[in-house]
Amino acid sequence: MDLRALRAFAAVAQEGGFSAAGRRIAATQPTISKAVRQLEEELGGPLLIRLGSGVALTSLGEIVLRHATAMLEQREALLAEIAASRGLLQGRLRLGLPSFGSAVLFAPLVAAFRARFPGITIDLSEQGGRRLQEAVLAGQLDLAIALHPVPDALHWQEVRDDPLMAVLPPGHALEGAERIRLAALQDSPFILYEQGFALNDLIESACRRRGFTPREAARSGQADFIIALAAAGLGVAVLPRLMLDNRPGLGLATALIDEPDLRWRAGMVWRRDAPLSEAARAWVEVVRAHMAL
């Protein structure tokens, strides 16, 4: 059984589609499709159900994914041990980064990591924070960046504590205010995030604690589009301050949401019951050094 085919199949299953899998393992979609098809022929049945929005595993696919994950992990452990015996640091880092904030916070760290450890291959997955947590717990990622709070089964180390800002549509009654309370937005429609984004949970929970449910105007997973929707007057957007600091020409009124229980607290997470690989420990070392943790 070809480990490259298993790796392609596992990437499709874990990323939810062929295009995302291709970006993760740096392979073309036809190459990945061919590998999965050959694996299905070898094992005598379909492993994936092709859906309009992605893929789902068949019962056979679930079995194969479980064993494929274990086999690929054993391969990486073998290569890492061989590299260690030669005094080299090699291996594979399976890293999850959030869709929001990564360009500002983590792109420079990924570059610094590659420069310091060129022998380590990075499998990068970019998703919402909730899905990243699930992937770490399932053993699909070595570690990820997620928002606090996280499940007790995950170790969490903070890397950024940022306030949230309200981006106000033109003509909003709170234009001109530098700081606001969350309750002041209860009559405004909210532009929320796609399912799987932990920031949704933070916003909705904070609203419920203040006695209201945010009225949804739209959802998106792209910061630029969310801001554009606010500019079009659709509703109020809530974003971490770091994502607005680099937009001097925003052209919209913003106000700091002055609530201690509603902040963008991002941290590294990994499983408490599983040791970190050498590659993952190297990533933690780089992040701690650059952020003085």
Side-chain angles (χ1 to χ4, degrees), residues 134-217:
E134 293 169 355
V136 173
L137 288 169
Q140 297 167 0
L141 295 174
D142 298 315
L143 46 73
I145 302 298
L147 298 187
H148 192 272
V150 300
D152 291 339
L154 293 176
H155 179 84
W156 185 81
Q157 180 167 358
E158 184 174 285
V159 296
R160 180 79 176 217
D161 182 356
D162 215 46
L164 289 170
M165 305 289 292
V167 179
L168 305 173
H172 194 278
L174 293 173
E175 274 189 346
E178 293 185 0
R179 293 172 175 262
I180 62 173
R181 309 296 289 192
L182 182 60
L185 298 173
Q186 62 182 320
D187 294 327
S188 300
F190 279 68
I191 303 167
L192 297 173
Y193 299 91
E194 292 176 350
Q195 298 300 327
F197 280 69
L199 193 49
N200 271 334
D201 300 334
L202 294 179
I203 295 171
E204 292 172 357
S205 296
C207 290
R208 285 194 296 270
R209 286 193 294 272
R210 288 157 179 80
F212 73 98
T213 299
R215 181 158 50 93
E216 177 185 332

Side-chain angles (χ1 to χ4, degrees), residues 17-234:
F18 287 82
S19 297
R23 291 191 295 270
R24 172 172 158 180
I25 65 174
T28 64
Q29 186 169 334
T31 299
I32 295 177
S33 298
K34 181 180 179 181
V36 172
R37 186 167 60 251
Q38 289 176 342
L39 197 58
E40 290 176 327
E41 291 173 357
E42 182 179 357
L43 297 174
L47 303 179
L48 299 168
I49 301 171
R50 278 70 168 176
L51 305 172
S53 58
V55 299
L57 288 170
T58 64
S59 57
L60 177 60
E62 292 176 353
I63 296 171
V64 174
L65 178 61
R66 185 171 67 251
H67 288 278
T69 301
M71 292 168 68
L72 292 168
E73 288 177 350
Q74 289 173 358
R75 175 185 180 274
E76 294 303 324
L78 171 63
L79 294 176
E81 189 170 338
I82 292 173
S85 71
R86 296 173 176 168
L88 304 171
L89 186 54
Q90 295 184 341
R92 187 175 301 277
L93 172 63
R94 301 175 303 165
L95 177 64
L97 295 180
S99 301
F100 274 32
S102 293
V104 177
L105 280 182
F106 301 111
L109 292 180
V110 172
F113 182 85
R114 288 302 304 271
R116 184 171 174 185
F117 302 105
I120 297 178
T121 301
I122 302 176
D123 281 350
L124 189 59
S125 178
E126 190 176 6
Q127 301 182 59
R130 193 193 311 156
R131 293 195 178 107
L132 290 177
Q133 289 183 33
E134 293 169 355
V136 173
L137 288 169
Q140 297 167 0
L141 295 174
D142 298 315
L143 46 73
I145 302 298
L147 298 187
H148 192 272
V150 300
D152 291 339
L154 293 176
H155 179 84
W156 185 81
Q157 180 167 358
E158 184 174 285
V159 296
R160 180 79 176 217
D161 182 356
D162 215 46
L164 289 170
M165 305 289 292
V167 179
L168 305 173
H172 194 278
L174 293 173
E175 274 189 346
E178 293 185 0
R179 293 172 175 262
I180 62 173
R181 309 296 289 192
L182 182 60
L185 298 173
Q186 62 182 320
D187 294 327
S188 300
F190 279 68
I191 303 167
L192 297 173
Y193 299 91
E194 292 176 350
Q195 298 300 327
F197 280 69
L199 193 49
N200 271 334
D201 300 334
L202 294 179
I203 295 171
E204 292 172 357
S205 296
C207 290
R208 285 194 296 270
R209 286 193 294 272
R210 288 157 179 80
F212 73 98
T213 299
R215 181 158 50 93
E216 177 185 332
R219 290 183 183 269
S220 176
Q222 301 297 323
D224 288 340
F225 189 53
I226 286 173
I227 292 171
L229 291 175
L234 203 63

